[in-house]
Amino acid sequence: MQQIQNNETEDQDYLKQISQQILSIELNIIPCTIQNQQSFDKIVLFLGFQHNQFDQLYSHFIDKKCLQQNEFFKIVKIKKDKHSSYLINSPYSLNRCSQEDEKIKLFFSKINLEQIFINFKKSEIHVVINYQKLQGNSEEEKLKIIIDYEFLNFGRIILKKEKISLINQYGKNQFSYTYLITLKSQNNLNFIEIEQQKILRNIFKKNEFLYFQILKHPIQFNYGEMSSEIMKVQEQLFEFVNNKIEQFQIQLLNLQQIPKLTDFFELQQSLGNYLKQLNEILSLYKKPKFSLVWKIVYKINHLNMNIGSSINIQLKNLNKQHLEQFLKMKRCTFEDLFIKMQLLESNHLKLIDEFLRKYHQYQYDDVLLVSLQNFAINVDFWNSYFKDFLESKLSQLNMISKNLQPQPQQDIEKGVFFFGKSKVGKSTILNLIQNPQILTIKKEFSEQCYVVKDGQQSQFNIGHGFMSETQMIQGTQIDDVWYFDCPGFDDNISEYTRIAHRINLYNYLKKTKKVIGFLVIDGSIKDAQVIKDTINPLYELIKDKNQLLKEHHKWLSLILVKINKSSRIACINNWDQAFQQLLNGQYSIYKQMYENDNQCVEFYKAKKKYLQDNQKFEEQKNNLKIKINNIINSQLQNYDFELKFDLILDQNLYYIIGDGISMLIIKVQHIILILTNLMNNYILENKSEISQKLQQIQKLQDIFQEDIIESNLEEFLQCLLSWCQDLIQFDNLISFLPQLIIDIHSFVKMLLQAKNNLLAPLQINTEIIRENMKKIIEIIKRIKKLNQIVTIEQIMLTVSTFRAFSIDSKIQEFLITLKSLPLLEKKLLKIMYQNYLEEQERNERI
């Protein structure tokens, strides 16, 4: 089978290819025309001979009749001395699955022979194998291949491994023959030359015929290498379907997390209706077996063609540009949000389902599609809280939290902060204070600008494009004073980034004992709104407004950038005409600082002519640095003055985290429910060795040592996220859970930083998952002790003595056939833990 592809068209082609192969197999299953044989006639089964080779072996019989012939089998009836026998030839039964055409022929042969033997219910059989067709470099290797690849298994029919003939044709009519009492790799093959007409005579003379067994219990059905290949296809298909479900639930989560979903009423309605009907579909399948997938997909496809189409129409009306940061965070495109009309091709899935149920029943029926079960849990949760816009709120918090900086760990004794709008020149001023010599003038975007000289390194990047260069508070220490370059109050990336910047600034200000501030404003612009937008954030952060309105001279100053030498005096003389009384009230401080030489610094507009006299240019920059430093030193003398700050939440942010604790508890409980389900699946279905499972569960047990409370919540989420990311390499079903954890961790981060207080009391019970982990560890340790026992039969005898552990006799017979101890350990773990879960479920119902 082909590898799984990511592209949607190739995904559908993958399913189509499997279904076409299955259809080809089904069409080549040829009914046996010999019906209901109740006689005790003998059968000689030839494996691996071409029909013309096979014909040579009975050609000397006078009374012979071909009853049925096709490419895959031939049945001939021979009669001698009133005794009838049947000769059956199967040319491709010794095929291997290394090539696709050989694999398909092997499948045809296995299935056809199974049907034939069912019609010969009470016959005795002798098996003849074409030694030439066996691969291997030695006799031992060839015999081992017969055993390992179970050439004598035909589904419900198991042929015995005793009294078998091997024929080696080494010339046109030259044959050698050997007879094995018991088939084992250590046999010594003593071939003897034999005439072709004596081969059947020799077989009948020995009269070494055995009754074959027709099995009843599906757990015992085995088609040899065909079963192994079907298992590979099933596992690949399982992974394929899981990936599609995973992608689909991520898509639905992304749709719910579209920023400001509350503003798009028609999209809300369509999406809410979609989740409601999808929940009704999935609620019918509490424990979805893999065999039910095609039915579920059929219903989802129908839903997609109806309400999904409506969602797509509403999506087309959205402004892509407003979603850019959201899509970047989600690592998806705008087109990825659109509902596909077909989740998967249900007709292909149905055909595959019928084939697997027919030829791989036990292993197939035993598979629970955990990804679909988790999807149902998620959809039920989303449907319950969609009207509260829970996922949309969490997404917005996530976008804010991605730009939150850690709070300073230590108090800052002296801090100088540069405030202002984006790209006004704060980073340039920091470079000037740190090292004036690295600044020069260069033409950027059609105007002269201050830039860092080529070859010089700077901690503070100077941006002249449309996007602000400073996205985080950056600081540098000069002597005993810290200088901070702050992101613009009007940052042009997004509303969520601006909220994060405000919180970051508050956290730095409140950790600084002595705050000195500079408002950096473009002096060439006479726009009152620009000035208001620069002052407003500070006004909101100052707890005692008088510290800004009446005492600003103690800590705050003004830097006018991009200003001409004569502009300031002209503006002071014509203030009312310039601003028409728009800067009265709380904004009057601007005029007070503007007029005060001790509070106002002029940073003249960059002009190319400054470069003509380098000494004068350097002197100008140094004078500017000295003036700024003088203001800082003067204001640092106000020892008794201490600013007080308060964070007033943005109205949108306040709305999002308003019901924080209740929303938090709901989401953490949801995560634990999903985790419990995934953990159970990891134990029951994952192919990892049980020692690996033990190690992972012990790590998880360390995370869940107690109930979750407010003081351990953040650490719990961080540890759980790390555990999930580590386990993904062993089980990719875990991959969706980290996204849920990241979302809720963002929420916790926002509660802690935005509110700046401890979380309100909460307690989330984790007893069930802790008890499950305890039981898993107990079972694995008990199984590991079985390593000391020599044979699997003895192991099974010991297992039967385990308290509270019953095992079906047929399953016990099957377990004994597992010759590999690791396989037996995994199967025992599954059975024992499944018994425990079923018992817990019964107790809950009682």
Side-chain angles (χ1 to χ4, degrees), residues 820-842:
S820 163
L821 184 58
L823 283 177
L824 178 63
E825 288 178 338
K826 280 180 262 188
K827 197 68 181 178
L828 283 174
L829 174 59
K830 178 173 181 176
I831 295 170
M832 296 173 76
Y833 186 55
Q834 186 67 58
N835 283 353
Y836 164 76
L837 292 177
E838 289 172 357
E839 182 182 352
Q840 298 302 104
E841 193 175 328
R842 285 193 296 271

Side-chain angles (χ1 to χ4, degrees), residues 773-786:
M773 287 188 285
K774 183 179 177 182
K775 178 56 69 173
I776 291 167
I777 292 170
E778 176 189 327
I779 292 173
I780 292 178
K781 287 183 175 179
R782 181 179 289 183
I783 292 173
K784 293 300 286 184
K785 289 182 180 178
L786 298 174

